[in-house]
Amino acid sequence: MCENGDIKDYPPFSVLMSLYYKEKPEYLRQCFDSLLNQTVQANEWVIVKDGPLTEELEQVLHEYENKNPNLIKYVTFEKNQGLGLALRAGVPACSNELIARMDTDDICREDRFEVQLKEFLKDHNLDICGSHIKEFDENPEKCHSIRKVPLNNEEIIQYQRRRSAYNHVTVMFKKNSVLKSGNYEDAPLMEDDMLWTRMILAKCKGKNVDEYLVYVRTGLSMIERRGGWSYFKKYKASRKKVYELGLASYWDYIYTLIVQLIVALVPTSIRKFVFEKALRE
């Protein structure tokens, strides 16, 4: 709660999501329910329809829209654009200065937004706030790994030189801070990394709370997407931008490429172990 214990004293905020046809309707329901069960709820969901959706997904949207009138706002693309461009269109569509990111197959802890809003109320210079995550396959009560991130702004800057310093699905940020940093861009599988880099270079202040505010669905498909030569080339292109923008040193750049090349080219079973154990806790 705020100092006077009144929920109405929290600033209004939007939740930004991108949805495309491969999402499972049951996952979308779980995501939406976790948003509606928050101790402090958003007054707006901005959902980017990234290309045509299935009839089943449209039915879920209509159901929640009917039960929660005036809550959902849509940005619609006739063809799939990819996450970076979808979010790039979604940010300016948000009506509020504070925006919480969410993926449509993940689940928020019931006090996620309350915890983050408190941080923005305590520090008016804060531009972005994230948290650790717990990862699961099907049952959020059976997490197989966690991903911790650095907590204060100085640690975040150092960490971002080699790895993503925020868990994308956990962040709440200021709209104007994202826009002044250049907004999201088309950087497949690295959209978040590029935004964090540009926000750091734009002198935005960040932090991560030392809590697990989101349960993230991983599974074998996520592990498979992060393998192969094609993924490595996308990763290399983005890490090169981080180097060219001046955040990372040349050694940081080379080090990350060596590590990622190994991870991308090993068999999926080994990559799964690396992601769930070696790079997690």
Short mmCIF file of all heavy atoms in Angstrom, two decimals, residues 127-167:
data_model
loop_
_atom_site.label_atom_id
_atom_site.label_comp_id
_atom_site.label_asym_id
_atom_site.label_seq_id
_atom_site.Cartn_x
_atom_site.Cartn_y
_atom_site.Cartn_z
N ASP A 127 13.42 4.96 -13.80
CA ASP A 127 12.86 4.84 -15.15
C ASP A 127 12.37 3.43 -15.48
O ASP A 127 11.46 3.26 -16.30
CB ASP A 127 13.90 5.25 -16.19
CG ASP A 127 14.30 6.70 -16.08
OD1 ASP A 127 13.45 7.57 -16.37
OD2 ASP A 127 15.45 6.98 -15.68
N ILE A 128 12.99 2.42 -14.88
CA ILE A 128 12.63 1.03 -15.19
C ILE A 128 12.89 0.16 -13.98
O ILE A 128 13.90 0.32 -13.28
CB ILE A 128 13.41 0.52 -16.42
CG1 ILE A 128 13.08 -0.95 -16.71
CG2 ILE A 128 14.89 0.74 -16.28
CD1 ILE A 128 13.63 -1.45 -18.03
N CYS A 129 11.98 -0.76 -13.72
CA CYS A 129 12.08 -1.65 -12.56
C CYS A 129 11.65 -3.06 -12.96
O CYS A 129 10.56 -3.27 -13.49
CB CYS A 129 11.21 -1.14 -11.43
SG CYS A 129 11.21 -2.19 -9.96
N GLY A 130 12.53 -4.03 -12.70
CA GLY A 130 12.22 -5.43 -12.98
C GLY A 130 12.40 -6.29 -11.74
O GLY A 130 12.46 -5.78 -10.62
N SER A 131 12.52 -7.61 -11.95
CA SER A 131 12.70 -8.52 -10.83
C SER A 131 13.29 -9.84 -11.33
O SER A 131 13.48 -10.05 -12.53
CB SER A 131 11.36 -8.79 -10.14
OG SER A 131 10.59 -9.73 -10.89
N HIS A 132 13.56 -10.75 -10.39
CA HIS A 132 13.94 -12.10 -10.73
C HIS A 132 12.71 -12.83 -11.28
O HIS A 132 11.57 -12.36 -11.17
CB HIS A 132 14.45 -12.86 -9.51
CG HIS A 132 15.49 -12.15 -8.70
ND1 HIS A 132 16.57 -11.52 -9.27
CD2 HIS A 132 15.61 -11.96 -7.36
CE1 HIS A 132 17.33 -10.99 -8.32
NE2 HIS A 132 16.75 -11.24 -7.15
N ILE A 133 12.94 -14.02 -11.85
CA ILE A 133 11.83 -14.87 -12.32
C ILE A 133 12.01 -16.30 -11.86
O ILE A 133 13.13 -16.75 -11.57
CB ILE A 133 11.71 -14.86 -13.87
CG1 ILE A 133 13.02 -15.33 -14.52
CG2 ILE A 133 11.27 -13.50 -14.38
CD1 ILE A 133 12.92 -15.53 -16.03
N LYS A 134 10.90 -17.01 -11.78
CA LYS A 134 10.90 -18.46 -11.61
C LYS A 134 10.39 -19.07 -12.91
O LYS A 134 9.41 -18.58 -13.48
CB LYS A 134 10.01 -18.87 -10.44
CG LYS A 134 10.57 -18.45 -9.09
CD LYS A 134 9.73 -19.00 -7.94
CE LYS A 134 10.36 -18.64 -6.60
NZ LYS A 134 9.58 -19.20 -5.46
N GLU A 135 11.06 -20.12 -13.38
CA GLU A 135 10.73 -20.72 -14.66
C GLU A 135 10.08 -22.09 -14.47
O GLU A 135 10.48 -22.85 -13.60
CB GLU A 135 11.99 -20.84 -15.52
CG GLU A 135 12.60 -19.47 -15.83
CD GLU A 135 13.93 -19.56 -16.57
OE1 GLU A 135 14.77 -20.40 -16.18
OE2 GLU A 135 14.13 -18.78 -17.52
N PHE A 136 9.09 -22.37 -15.32
CA PHE A 136 8.36 -23.64 -15.23
C PHE A 136 7.98 -24.11 -16.62
O PHE A 136 8.03 -23.35 -17.60
CB PHE A 136 7.11 -23.47 -14.36
CG PHE A 136 6.02 -22.61 -14.99
CD1 PHE A 136 4.94 -23.19 -15.63
CD2 PHE A 136 6.09 -21.23 -14.95
CE1 PHE A 136 3.94 -22.43 -16.20
CE2 PHE A 136 5.10 -20.44 -15.52
CZ PHE A 136 4.02 -21.04 -16.16
N ASP A 137 7.57 -25.37 -16.71
CA ASP A 137 7.12 -25.92 -17.99
C ASP A 137 5.61 -25.82 -18.13
O ASP A 137 5.10 -25.16 -19.02
CB ASP A 137 7.59 -27.37 -18.14
CG ASP A 137 9.09 -27.46 -18.36
OD1 ASP A 137 9.67 -26.50 -18.89
OD2 ASP A 137 9.68 -28.49 -17.99
N GLU A 138 4.86 -26.47 -17.24
CA GLU A 138 3.41 -26.46 -17.31
C GLU A 138 2.76 -25.99 -16.01
O GLU A 138 1.78 -25.27 -16.03
CB GLU A 138 2.88 -27.87 -17.67
CG GLU A 138 3.20 -28.29 -19.10
CD GLU A 138 2.54 -27.40 -20.14
OE1 GLU A 138 1.44 -26.87 -19.86
OE2 GLU A 138 3.10 -27.23 -21.24
N ASN A 139 3.33 -26.40 -14.88
CA ASN A 139 2.75 -26.07 -13.58
C ASN A 139 3.60 -25.02 -12.88
O ASN A 139 4.74 -25.30 -12.51
CB ASN A 139 2.66 -27.34 -12.73
CG ASN A 139 1.95 -27.10 -11.41
OD1 ASN A 139 1.66 -25.97 -11.02
ND2 ASN A 139 1.66 -28.18 -10.70
N PRO A 140 3.08 -23.80 -12.67
CA PRO A 140 3.88 -22.75 -12.04
C PRO A 140 4.29 -23.07 -10.61
O PRO A 140 5.18 -22.43 -10.05
CB PRO A 140 2.97 -21.53 -12.09
CG PRO A 140 1.59 -22.08 -12.24
CD PRO A 140 1.73 -23.33 -13.04
N GLU A 141 3.63 -24.06 -10.00
CA GLU A 141 4.00 -24.46 -8.65
C GLU A 141 5.19 -25.41 -8.65
O GLU A 141 5.72 -25.75 -7.59
CB GLU A 141 2.81 -25.10 -7.94
CG GLU A 141 1.64 -24.14 -7.72
CD GLU A 141 0.49 -24.78 -7.00
OE1 GLU A 141 0.60 -25.99 -6.66
OE2 GLU A 141 -0.51 -24.09 -6.73
N LYS A 142 5.60 -25.85 -9.83
CA LYS A 142 6.75 -26.75 -9.96
C LYS A 142 7.81 -26.08 -10.84
O LYS A 142 7.98 -26.43 -12.01
CB LYS A 142 6.32 -28.09 -10.56
CG LYS A 142 5.36 -28.87 -9.67
CD LYS A 142 4.98 -30.21 -10.30
CE LYS A 142 4.03 -30.99 -9.38
NZ LYS A 142 3.65 -32.30 -9.99
N CYS A 143 8.50 -25.11 -10.27
CA CYS A 143 9.53 -24.39 -11.02
C CYS A 143 10.81 -25.21 -11.08
O CYS A 143 11.22 -25.80 -10.09
CB CYS A 143 9.80 -23.04 -10.35
SG CYS A 143 8.36 -21.95 -10.36
N HIS A 144 11.43 -25.25 -12.24
CA HIS A 144 12.65 -26.03 -12.41
C HIS A 144 13.91 -25.18 -12.32
O HIS A 144 15.01 -25.71 -12.17
CB HIS A 144 12.63 -26.79 -13.73
CG HIS A 144 12.42 -25.93 -14.95
ND1 HIS A 144 13.35 -25.03 -15.40
CD2 HIS A 144 11.36 -25.84 -15.81
CE1 HIS A 144 12.89 -24.41 -16.48
NE2 HIS A 144 11.69 -24.87 -16.75
N SER A 145 13.78 -23.85 -12.40
CA SER A 145 14.96 -22.99 -12.31
C SER A 145 14.53 -21.56 -12.03
O SER A 145 13.35 -21.22 -12.14
CB SER A 145 15.78 -23.05 -13.60
OG SER A 145 14.99 -22.68 -14.72
N ILE A 146 15.49 -20.73 -11.67
CA ILE A 146 15.24 -19.32 -11.45
C ILE A 146 16.30 -18.52 -12.19
O ILE A 146 17.38 -19.01 -12.48
CB ILE A 146 15.27 -18.96 -9.95
CG1 ILE A 146 16.65 -19.24 -9.35
CG2 ILE A 146 14.18 -19.70 -9.19
CD1 ILE A 146 16.77 -18.85 -7.90
N ARG A 147 15.97 -17.29 -12.53
CA ARG A 147 16.96 -16.39 -13.12
C ARG A 147 17.02 -15.12 -12.31
O ARG A 147 16.06 -14.35 -12.26
CB ARG A 147 16.65 -16.05 -14.58
CG ARG A 147 17.75 -15.15 -15.19
CD ARG A 147 17.58 -14.87 -16.67
NE ARG A 147 18.77 -14.19 -17.17
CZ ARG A 147 18.86 -12.87 -17.39
NH1 ARG A 147 17.82 -12.09 -17.19
NH2 ARG A 147 19.98 -12.34 -17.84
N LYS A 148 18.16 -14.94 -11.64
CA LYS A 148 18.38 -13.73 -10.87
C LYS A 148 19.06 -12.69 -11.74
O LYS A 148 19.83 -13.03 -12.64
CB LYS A 148 19.24 -14.03 -9.64
CG LYS A 148 18.50 -14.79 -8.54
CD LYS A 148 19.35 -14.83 -7.28
CE LYS A 148 18.57 -15.40 -6.12
NZ LYS A 148 19.34 -15.37 -4.85
N VAL A 149 18.78 -11.44 -11.45
CA VAL A 149 19.37 -10.32 -12.18
C VAL A 149 19.98 -9.34 -11.19
O VAL A 149 19.63 -9.34 -10.01
CB VAL A 149 18.31 -9.62 -13.06
CG1 VAL A 149 18.04 -10.40 -14.34
CG2 VAL A 149 17.02 -9.40 -12.28
N PRO A 150 20.91 -8.49 -11.63
CA PRO A 150 21.53 -7.51 -10.73
C PRO A 150 20.50 -6.53 -10.21
O PRO A 150 19.49 -6.26 -10.87
CB PRO A 150 22.57 -6.83 -11.63
CG PRO A 150 22.07 -7.04 -13.02
CD PRO A 150 21.42 -8.38 -13.01
N LEU A 151 20.75 -5.97 -9.02
CA LEU A 151 19.73 -5.19 -8.35
C LEU A 151 19.84 -3.68 -8.56
O LEU A 151 18.86 -3.04 -8.94
CB LEU A 151 19.75 -5.49 -6.84
CG LEU A 151 19.51 -6.96 -6.48
CD1 LEU A 151 19.54 -7.14 -4.97
CD2 LEU A 151 18.19 -7.47 -7.06
N ASN A 152 21.01 -3.08 -8.35
CA ASN A 152 21.08 -1.63 -8.43
C ASN A 152 21.57 -1.16 -9.79
O ASN A 152 22.04 -1.95 -10.61
CB ASN A 152 21.94 -1.05 -7.30
CG ASN A 152 23.39 -1.48 -7.38
OD1 ASN A 152 24.04 -1.31 -8.40
ND2 ASN A 152 23.92 -2.03 -6.28
N ASN A 153 21.47 0.13 -10.03
CA ASN A 153 21.75 0.70 -11.35
C ASN A 153 23.18 0.45 -11.80
O ASN A 153 23.42 0.13 -12.97
CB ASN A 153 21.46 2.20 -11.33
CG ASN A 153 21.41 2.81 -12.72
OD1 ASN A 153 20.67 2.34 -13.59
ND2 ASN A 153 22.18 3.85 -12.94
N GLU A 154 24.15 0.58 -10.91
CA GLU A 154 25.54 0.37 -11.27
C GLU A 154 25.79 -1.08 -11.68
O GLU A 154 26.48 -1.35 -12.68
CB GLU A 154 26.46 0.75 -10.10
CG GLU A 154 26.50 2.24 -9.78
CD GLU A 154 25.23 2.74 -9.10
OE1 GLU A 154 24.50 1.91 -8.51
OE2 GLU A 154 24.96 3.96 -9.19
N GLU A 155 25.23 -2.03 -10.92
CA GLU A 155 25.38 -3.44 -11.25
C GLU A 155 24.72 -3.76 -12.58
O GLU A 155 25.21 -4.57 -13.37
CB GLU A 155 24.78 -4.30 -10.14
CG GLU A 155 25.53 -4.22 -8.82
CD GLU A 155 24.77 -4.91 -7.70
OE1 GLU A 155 23.54 -5.12 -7.85
OE2 GLU A 155 25.40 -5.25 -6.67
N ILE A 156 23.58 -3.15 -12.83
CA ILE A 156 22.84 -3.37 -14.08
C ILE A 156 23.67 -2.92 -15.28
O ILE A 156 23.75 -3.63 -16.29
CB ILE A 156 21.49 -2.63 -14.03
CG1 ILE A 156 20.52 -3.37 -13.10
CG2 ILE A 156 20.88 -2.48 -15.42
CD1 ILE A 156 19.27 -2.60 -12.76
N ILE A 157 24.31 -1.78 -15.19
CA ILE A 157 25.12 -1.27 -16.29
C ILE A 157 26.27 -2.23 -16.60
O ILE A 157 26.53 -2.56 -17.76
CB ILE A 157 25.67 0.13 -15.96
CG1 ILE A 157 24.51 1.14 -15.88
CG2 ILE A 157 26.68 0.59 -17.01
CD1 ILE A 157 24.92 2.50 -15.35
N GLN A 158 26.94 -2.70 -15.56
CA GLN A 158 28.05 -3.63 -15.75
C GLN A 158 27.57 -4.95 -16.35
O GLN A 158 28.18 -5.50 -17.28
CB GLN A 158 28.75 -3.90 -14.41
CG GLN A 158 29.50 -2.70 -13.85
CD GLN A 158 30.66 -2.27 -14.74
OE1 GLN A 158 31.34 -3.10 -15.33
NE2 GLN A 158 30.88 -0.97 -14.83
N TYR A 159 26.47 -5.47 -15.85
CA TYR A 159 25.93 -6.76 -16.29
C TYR A 159 25.49 -6.72 -17.75
O TYR A 159 25.69 -7.67 -18.51
CB TYR A 159 24.75 -7.12 -15.39
CG TYR A 159 24.34 -8.57 -15.41
CD1 TYR A 159 24.92 -9.49 -14.55
CD2 TYR A 159 23.34 -9.02 -16.27
CE1 TYR A 159 24.51 -10.82 -14.53
CE2 TYR A 159 22.93 -10.34 -16.27
CZ TYR A 159 23.52 -11.24 -15.40
OH TYR A 159 23.13 -12.55 -15.40
N GLN A 160 24.89 -5.58 -18.15
CA GLN A 160 24.35 -5.46 -19.50
C GLN A 160 25.43 -5.51 -20.57
O GLN A 160 25.14 -5.77 -21.74
CB GLN A 160 23.53 -4.16 -19.62
CG GLN A 160 22.81 -3.97 -20.94
CD GLN A 160 21.77 -5.04 -21.22
OE1 GLN A 160 21.12 -5.54 -20.30
NE2 GLN A 160 21.62 -5.41 -22.48
N ARG A 161 26.65 -5.32 -20.20
CA ARG A 161 27.74 -5.39 -21.17
C ARG A 161 27.92 -6.79 -21.73
O ARG A 161 28.47 -6.96 -22.82
CB ARG A 161 29.04 -4.90 -20.53
CG ARG A 161 29.02 -3.40 -20.25
CD ARG A 161 30.21 -2.94 -19.44
NE ARG A 161 30.19 -1.48 -19.30
CZ ARG A 161 30.94 -0.80 -18.46
NH1 ARG A 161 31.77 -1.43 -17.64
NH2 ARG A 161 30.85 0.52 -18.40
N ARG A 162 27.44 -7.80 -21.00
CA ARG A 162 27.60 -9.18 -21.48
C ARG A 162 26.28 -9.97 -21.53
O ARG A 162 26.15 -10.88 -22.34
CB ARG A 162 28.60 -9.93 -20.59
CG ARG A 162 30.02 -9.40 -20.72
CD ARG A 162 31.00 -10.32 -20.02
NE ARG A 162 32.38 -9.87 -20.22
CZ ARG A 162 33.45 -10.53 -19.79
NH1 ARG A 162 33.29 -11.68 -19.12
NH2 ARG A 162 34.66 -10.05 -20.00
N ARG A 163 25.34 -9.63 -20.66
CA ARG A 163 24.08 -10.37 -20.62
C ARG A 163 22.93 -9.41 -20.34
O ARG A 163 23.14 -8.30 -19.87
CB ARG A 163 24.11 -11.46 -19.54
CG ARG A 163 25.10 -12.57 -19.77
CD ARG A 163 24.96 -13.63 -18.70
NE ARG A 163 23.65 -14.26 -18.75
CZ ARG A 163 23.16 -15.04 -17.76
NH1 ARG A 163 23.87 -15.24 -16.67
NH2 ARG A 163 21.97 -15.60 -17.87
N SER A 164 21.74 -9.87 -20.62
CA SER A 164 20.56 -9.04 -20.38
C SER A 164 20.39 -8.81 -18.89
O SER A 164 20.27 -9.76 -18.11
CB SER A 164 19.32 -9.70 -20.96
OG SER A 164 18.20 -8.86 -20.80
N ALA A 165 20.34 -7.55 -18.48
CA ALA A 165 20.30 -7.19 -17.07
C ALA A 165 18.89 -7.17 -16.50
O ALA A 165 18.72 -6.98 -15.29
CB ALA A 165 20.96 -5.83 -16.86
N TYR A 166 17.89 -7.34 -17.32
CA TYR A 166 16.51 -7.40 -16.86
C TYR A 166 15.84 -8.65 -17.42
O TYR A 166 16.18 -9.10 -18.52
CB TYR A 166 15.70 -6.19 -17.33
CG TYR A 166 16.19 -4.86 -16.83
CD1 TYR A 166 17.02 -4.06 -17.61
CD2 TYR A 166 15.80 -4.37 -15.58
CE1 TYR A 166 17.47 -2.82 -17.16
CE2 TYR A 166 16.24 -3.14 -15.13
CZ TYR A 166 17.08 -2.37 -15.92
OH TYR A 166 17.52 -1.15 -15.47
N ASN A 167 14.90 -9.19 -16.69
CA ASN A 167 14.00 -10.20 -17.23
C ASN A 167 12.84 -9.44 -17.90
O ASN A 167 12.05 -8.77 -17.21
CB ASN A 167 13.48 -11.11 -16.11
CG ASN A 167 14.57 -12.03 -15.57
OD1 ASN A 167 15.24 -12.73 -16.33
ND2 ASN A 167 14.75 -12.03 -14.25
#
